[in-house]
């Protein structure tokens, strides 16, 4: 009898902890993507570079407070999980995630401690905060989420928590798309820019809460995949089904408003996955849940393309001209960043340098010892040697300004691979990319359309992870992904799960797959990755709960 009572007390403690942890996850999913506020701080650079890469007062609008909230939420979740393990005598479930997760956790930790620029690697770049600590938070949240028991209602709430960041970003991005900048609204601006010196001189525009339309495109694709799949398998009442359809359509509109190709390409992959899943698993709403969003997508596409032809150019047009070169972008042709340009170089804007694929309007020339050479003398020297005449103010010969394949991504990837090979085992340290990339490479002009742009990330989540933490860490991470994909697909394909399990697993798998696909051309950012890792953990828990023992 004592043992029964004791087990009852332990179970009650575990359930109480699970309720609080789920609450923390709800706040994280709903708030992390939309937290914004200007923060100024002193940055000590590890290199003697001028301008944005040097030591000085820096600022951030989009990531700093997301990072702070991530640390708070992770700390709260860890404390609650420790309470669950001690008071509730809970033991971490054995399973396929434990070994690869432990390996990648240790490798990332060792990589940060062994990085040449340790303090930078631990916290990350001053505009991204995606260093070692951030990744350890992702892994901790994932492990905790995978060891929480979710009722169907709790799992639904976690998915619907995405509705808030979707709504906020749809409003902001569509307003900008149709010529209304929310940053110019006085009360909204006061929320973002604290009073004090320099507040009035902060200028710019706002496209998204995620700092860059590329990130908005990726995030909206994840949300669209989730709600599109829910519209197919949601067995609830019709009003809830209608909400799934509306949220899928709104997310798709945000993908188009970003005028970025990554999200649209991701949804093409997701559409194929949903068709295959639908044929095998028979959607709860039949094919109505697939067809109605598709029709709405087409109508939204037609309406938005009529307003701005970039909608076609960046979606279907990008597939037609895949791999080709384009002329340099025309100023004012569309948003290139999420952002606010301000009184401090790069302080607030993704426009300057946090988007490598764009024009670096505030970035200095990085030509090393060539600075200060009189242009006329450089031209004479070049002519005497029979070389092309310099065409840059500092006496450097630059190729013609063009944008390379994949909006310059292919060029960046080619330069990244040798950098990974320099330190393949433990990497250079997460989020230190900007300080290793050859910023004085003249080929930037013919691939990124501007020699002065600062390349601070590889625009590929996997290359960025290999660069920062090493190839073995990437292999362990990919092993984790492959194992989960294999277990999920195999279990779903056998059609041995009850309907409520399929209703949760298919949307979670679609969103997770969308995150991995968009990561091929996008970088990891806190506003997207924190949400993805939590939902990943929820999917593992649901799969474990319903899979036959």
């Amino acid at each position: 009898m004592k043992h029964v009572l004791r087990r009852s007390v332990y179970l009650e403690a575990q359930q109480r902890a699970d309720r609080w942890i789920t609450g923390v996850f709800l706040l994280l999913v709903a708030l992390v993507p939309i937290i914004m506020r200007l923060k100024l701080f002193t940055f000590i650079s590890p290199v003697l570079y001028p301008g944005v890469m040097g030591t000085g007062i820096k600022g951030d609008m989009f990531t700093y407070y997301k990072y702070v909230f991530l640390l708070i939420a992770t700390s709260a979740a860890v404390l609650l999980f420790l309470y669950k393990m001690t008071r509730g005598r809970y033991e971490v479930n054995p399973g396929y995630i434990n070994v690869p997760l432990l390996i990648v956790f240790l490798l990332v930790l060792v990589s940060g401690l062994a990085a040449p620029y340790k303090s930078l690697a631990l916290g990350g770049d001053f505009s991204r905060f995606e260093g070692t600590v951030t990744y350890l938070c992702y892994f901790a949240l994932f492990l905790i989420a995978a060891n929480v028991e979710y009722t169907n209602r709790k799992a639904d709430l976690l998915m619907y928590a995405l509705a808030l960041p979707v709504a906020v970003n749809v409003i902001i991005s569509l307003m900008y798309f149709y010529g209304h900048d929310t940053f110019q609204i006085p009360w909204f601006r006061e929320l973002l820019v604290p009073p004090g010196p320099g507040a009035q001189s902060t200028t710019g525009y706002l496209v998204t809460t995620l700092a860059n339309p590329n990130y908005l495109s990726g995030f909206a694709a994840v949300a669209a995949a989730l709600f599109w799949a829910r519209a197919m398998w949601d067995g609830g009442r019709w009003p809830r089904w209608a909400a799934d359809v509306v949220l899928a359509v709104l997310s798709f509109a945000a993908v188009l408003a970003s005028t970025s190709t990554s999200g649209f390409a991701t949804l093409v992959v997701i559409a194929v996955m949903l068709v295959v899943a639908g044929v095998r698993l028979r959607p709860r709403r039949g094919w109505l849940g697939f067809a109605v969003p598709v029709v709405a997508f087409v109508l939204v596409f037609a309406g938005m393309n009529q307003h701005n032809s970039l909608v076609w150019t960046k979606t279907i047009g990008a597939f037609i001209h895949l791999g080709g070169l384009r002329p340099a972008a025309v100023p004012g042709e569309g948003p290139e960043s999420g952002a606010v340009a301000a009184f401090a170089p790069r302080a607030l804007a993704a426009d300057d340098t946090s988007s490598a694929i764009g024009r670096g309007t505030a970035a200095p020339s990085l030509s090393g010892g060539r600075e200060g050479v009189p242009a006329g003398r450089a031209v004479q020297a070049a002519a005497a040697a029979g070389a092309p005449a310099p065409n840059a103010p500092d006496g450097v010969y630059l190729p013609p300004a063009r944008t390379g394949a994949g909006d310059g991504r292919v060029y960046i990837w080619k330069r990244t691979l040798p950098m990974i090979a320099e330190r393949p085992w433990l990497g250079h340290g997460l989020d230190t990319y900007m300080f290793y990339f050859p910023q004085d490479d003249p080929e930037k002009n013919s691939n990124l359309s501007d020699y002065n742009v600062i390349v601070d990330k590889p625009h590929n989540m996997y290359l960025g992870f290999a660069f920062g933490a090493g190839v073995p860490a990437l292999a362990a991470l990919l092993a984790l992904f492959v194992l989960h994909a294999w277990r999920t697909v195999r279990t779903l394909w056998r059609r041995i799960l009850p309907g409520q399990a399929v209703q949760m697993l298919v949307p979670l798998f679609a969103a997770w797959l969308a995150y991995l696909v968009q990561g091929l051309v996008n970088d990891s950012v806190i506003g997207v990755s924190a949400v993805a890792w939590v939902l990943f953990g929820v999917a593992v828990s649901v799969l474990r709960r319903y899979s036959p023992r």
Side-chain angles (χ1 to χ4, degrees):
M1 191 65 168
K2 280 185 178 180
H3 294 297
V4 174
L5 290 174
R6 193 174 298 148
R7 279 197 297 269
S8 176
V9 171
Y10 293 159
L11 182 59
E12 183 181 350
Q14 292 177 19
Q15 292 173 342
R16 183 164 54 249
D18 282 352
R19 286 195 295 270
W20 282 99
I21 291 172
T22 303
V24 171
F25 289 160
L26 282 170
L27 289 175
L28 188 145
V29 171
L31 298 181
V32 161
I34 60 176
I35 293 173
M36 292 187 300
R37 188 166 172 83
L38 174 62
K39 172 67 176 179
L40 297 179
F41 46 85
T42 301
F43 173 71
I44 308 299
S45 176
V47 297
L48 295 176
Y49 260 101
V52 297
M53 292 176 62
T55 297
I57 300 296
K58 310 294 180 182
D60 176 80
M61 176 76 79
F62 302 100
T63 310
Y64 177 80
Y65 287 107
K66 288 181 174 67
Y67 176 65
V68 171
F69 189 85
L70 175 68
L71 294 179
I72 295 172
T74 304
S75 300
V78 168
L79 290 174
L80 289 168
F81 192 64
L82 291 175
Y83 169 83
K84 179 179 177 179
M85 295 180 69
T86 53
R87 178 66 175 171
R89 300 294 176 90
Y90 179 82
E91 295 181 1
V92 173
N93 281 309
Y96 62 90
I97 69 168
N98 293 348
V99 173
L101 182 62
L102 177 62
I103 293 173
V104 73
F105 185 97
L106 293 175
L107 287 175
V108 166
L109 179 60
V110 173
S111 170
L113 297 176
Y117 304 145
K118 290 179 178 59
S119 60
L120 180 64
L122 290 175
D125 174 19
F126 56 82
S127 69
R128 290 169 40 79
F129 298 98
E130 269 258 323
T132 302
V133 173
T134 297
Y135 270 90
L136 295 182
C137 287
Y138 294 160
F139 300 151
L141 290 170
F142 167 64
L143 179 65
I144 295 170
N147 284 273
V148 170
E149 292 292 332
Y150 304 95
T151 62
N152 295 354
R153 181 174 175 273
K154 287 180 180 178
D156 284 342
L157 284 174
L158 281 169
M159 287 187 265
Y160 279 123
L162 275 176
L164 178 60
V166 166
V168 170
N169 276 284
V170 165
I171 292 171
I172 293 175
S173 61
L174 284 182
M175 285 187 66
Y176 186 86
F177 185 83
Y178 286 101
H180 305 285
D181 180 12
T182 53
F183 190 68
Q184 308 310 320
I185 301 174
W187 67 265
F188 190 73
R189 176 193 174 95
E190 290 176 3
L191 290 176
L192 303 184
V193 182
Q200 297 302 316
S201 61
T202 304
T203 60
Y205 57 91
L206 186 65
V207 182
T208 172
T209 66
L210 295 166
N212 190 295
N214 289 332
Y215 305 148
L216 171 62
S217 184
F219 170 78
V222 170
L226 177 78
F227 293 115
W228 193 2
R230 284 191 63 88
M232 293 180 67
W233 273 274
D234 195 337
R237 297 179 179 178
W238 285 100
R240 194 172 78 172
W241 178 82
D244 293 331
V245 173
V246 169
L247 288 169
V249 174
L250 289 176
S251 301
F252 181 75
V255 169
L256 300 183
S258 70
T259 61
S260 175
T261 307
S262 59
F264 183 82
T266 297
L267 287 180
V268 171
V269 176
I270 295 302
V272 175
M273 173 251 166
L274 291 178
V275 169
V276 173
V279 170
R280 182 67 181 175
L281 300 176
R282 300 170 190 167
R284 295 292 294 272
R285 297 288 183 185
W287 287 98
L288 185 68
F290 182 86
V292 170
V294 168
V295 172
F297 292 168
V298 172
L299 294 176
V300 169
F301 183 95
M304 294 182 67
N305 186 63
Q306 188 174 11
H307 175 76
N308 188 338
S309 61
L310 274 176
V311 170
W312 170 275
T313 303
K314 292 292 187 177
T315 54
I316 299 174
F319 284 94
I320 295 174
H321 301 289
L322 188 64
L325 292 174
R326 299 187 293 105
V330 179
E333 203 176 38
E336 295 175 348
S337 70
V340 179
F343 55 92
R346 187 187 156 102
L348 306 177
D351 196 42
D352 296 340
T353 56
S354 66
S355 175
I357 300 173
R359 290 183 296 277
T361 55
S365 171
L366 300 176
S367 56
R370 297 188 183 93
E371 289 190 6
V373 177
R377 191 180 306 169
V379 171
Q380 294 172 6
N391 57 358
D394 54 3
V396 178
Y397 171 75
L398 298 176
R402 284 181 175 274
T403 300
D407 279 349
R409 284 175 171 82
V410 174
Y411 159 76
I412 294 175
W413 297 340
K414 288 179 179 178
R415 292 294 187 272
T416 302
L417 292 175
M419 294 160 59
I420 294 174
E422 291 174 1
R423 289 177 62 93
W425 300 111
L426 292 175
H428 297 78
L430 289 162
D431 211 15
T432 63
Y433 186 89
M434 174 170 62
F435 299 96
Y436 289 93
F437 190 89
Q439 305 290 358
D440 56 354
D441 182 10
E443 292 300 317
K444 287 164 59 176
N445 211 51
S446 59
N447 287 279
L448 305 178
S449 79
D450 190 343
Y451 173 66
N452 292 323
V453 70
I454 301 296
V455 182
D456 61 351
K457 52 193 177 295
H459 288 272
N460 182 296
M461 184 171 68
Y462 308 98
L463 289 180
F465 193 76
F467 169 85
V471 175
L474 176 63
L477 186 70
L478 293 178
L480 176 65
F481 293 162
V482 170
L483 284 171
H484 178 68
W486 168 252
R487 291 293 185 96
T488 303
V489 172
R490 185 185 66 173
T491 304
L492 289 171
W493 194 261
R494 293 165 62 189
R495 295 192 297 194
I496 57 177
L497 298 179
Q500 64 266 32
V502 176
Q503 176 184 326
M504 290 185 287
L505 279 176
V506 174
L508 287 170
F509 184 76
W512 178 72
L513 182 62
Y515 171 71
L516 298 187
V517 172
Q518 64 87 36
L520 293 169
V521 292
N522 269 338
D523 303 279
S524 172
V525 288
I526 292 175
V528 181
S529 293
V531 172
W533 279 98
V534 168
L535 295 182
F536 183 14
V538 174
V540 171
S541 176
V542 172
L543 183 62
R544 181 190 295 118
R545 173 185 172 190
Y546 285 101
S547 293
R549 296 293 186 265

